[in-house]
Amino acid sequence: EAQVTQNPRYLITVTGKKLTVTCSQNMNHEYMSWYRQDPGLGLRQIYYSMNVEVTDKGDVPEGYKVSRKEKRNFPLILESPSPNQTSLYFCASSFGPLNTEAFFGQGTRLTVV
Amino acid sequence: EDKVVQSPLSLVVHEGDTVTLNCSYEVTNFRSLLWYKQEKKAPTFLFMLTSSGIEKKSGRLSSILDKKELSSILNITATQTGDSAIYLCAVPRPTMYSGGGADGLTFGKGTHLIIQP
C-alpha cells in the first residue's frame, strides 16, 4: 500500500531535549516536505527536499533541521525544542514537481512543556 | 510573497444543504490549484485544477477554476455529516532552481465545515 509513515504519532517532551520525528515513503517519490499546522495559521512549510542530499528552507525553518540521506526517508530534527514548537506536524511526498498530488503522513502531535 | 485566502473560515449547515467554499490566490507563475479534505488526520487529495473553466467532479463534490478572477470554488451538494471536515486549498510554489517544478505548497487557512444532522 502506498503510504507516508510518520513516527511517533504523539509525543510530549520537555524543553531542550533533542528529538527526531521520522518520515518514510514507499512510493519512490523525489519530493518530500515537512509542514506544521497551527490553529488560525493553517499549514506552513518548514523544510523541503527535491532529492537525496538536496534540502532547503520553507517558510518557518527556525529551530528545525532535516536530512535526506536516502530517497525514502526525511527525518525532522528539533535540536532544542521549545514550547512554541508545540504543533501538529505533517510530512508529505510527491512524485515530481509539486504540480501533482502530494501524499501526507498521518501527522505527529508534538507538545513541548 | 504567495498568498492563498479561503472563505469562509467556518461554516455550519444542515444535512442536505449545498455549500460553496471559496479560494483566492496571488502567486507568481501559477501552474495549478489543489483542494484537500482534512478530517481528524492527514489531508487527503480531492482535486487538482490547471485550466480555467473546466469543472472537476467526484460524486457530490465539484470544483472549478477561474484564472481571470484568480480564484476557485469547491461545491458540495446534498451534504452529509461525513462531509464535516476542514477543506484546504493550496497552490504550488515555483522553485527557484532550474528545470521547473515547485518547492512546496502554499496553503490557505482552510474552511472548517460542520454538517449538522
Side-chain angles (χ1 to χ4, degrees):
Chain A
E1 182 191 347
Q3 58 185 4
V4 179
T5 303
Q6 291 178 230
N7 279 297
R9 294 288 307 280
Y10 300 91
L11 178 60
I12 301 174
T13 190
V14 296
T15 298
K17 186 173 182 181
K18 180 180 178 179
L19 66 92
T20 299
V21 184
T22 63
C23 174
S24 180
Q25 49 94 4
N26 62 0
M27 295 168 278
N28 202 34
H29 284 171
E30 290 183 347
Y31 284 68
M32 297 186 76
S33 296
W34 276 102
Y35 295 87
R36 61 178 288 175
Q37 187 173 34
D38 302 288
L41 296 175
L43 275 156
R44 295 177 294 166
Q45 190 182 41
I46 304 170
Y47 267 94
Y48 64 93
S49 170
M50 290 192 290
N51 214 325
V52 176
E53 302 292 1
V54 181
T55 64
D56 212 337
K57 296 176 182 178
D59 297 318
V60 288
E62 294 77 21
Y64 304 95
K65 284 173 58 177
V66 292
S67 69
R68 189 90 181 274
K69 292 183 169 43
E70 308 163 280
K71 201 171 188 178
R72 63 181 295 127
N73 295 323
F74 190 44
L76 179 70
I77 303 156
L78 285 72
E79 294 270 3
S80 183
S82 63
N84 64 13
Q85 292 178 298
T86 293
S87 187
L88 178 59
Y89 291 85
F90 287 104
C91 177
S93 74
S94 62
F95 178 68
L98 270 169
N99 298 315
T100 57
E101 176 185 356
F103 293 82
F104 284 80
Q106 291 299 299
T108 296
R109 187 166 291 283
L110 172 66
T111 303
V112 183
V113 298
Chain B
E1 184 181 317
D2 295 346
K3 192 189 294 187
V4 179
V5 178
Q6 292 186 245
S7 64
L9 291 180
S10 184
L11 183 60
V12 181
V13 299
H14 286 106
E15 213 169 12
D17 289 350
T18 293
V19 297
T20 298
L21 311 183
N22 300 284
C23 175
S24 64
Y25 58 88
E26 291 177 30
V27 297
T28 54
N29 195 17
F30 175 86
R31 295 182 180 214
S32 62
L33 183 145
L34 298 94
W35 284 98
Y36 285 84
K37 177 183 181 182
Q38 185 179 22
E39 296 171 90
K40 290 180 182 174
K41 41 188 180 176
T44 53
F45 175 78
L46 292 174
F47 300 112
M48 184 176 74
L49 304 160
T50 56
S51 299
S52 198
I54 296 176
E55 186 179 26
K56 290 278 184 90
K57 288 196 76 169
S58 178
R60 296 176 293 102
L61 276 67
S62 64
S63 184
I64 195 162
L65 177 68
D66 186 338
K67 276 188 176 177
K68 192 175 172 185
E69 297 295 327
L70 305 183
S71 66
S72 174
I73 60 170
L74 175 69
N75 276 322
I76 308 175
T77 59
T79 52
Q80 303 169 357
T81 54
D83 296 325
S84 296
I86 298 173
Y87 290 85
L88 299 164
C89 171
V91 292
R93 181 167 47 212
T95 182
M96 66 175 113
Y97 298 100
S98 62
D103 294 344
L105 293 169
T106 299
F107 282 88
K109 293 182 181 179
T111 293
H112 189 184
L113 176 63
I114 298 172
I115 311 297
Q116 290 183 334

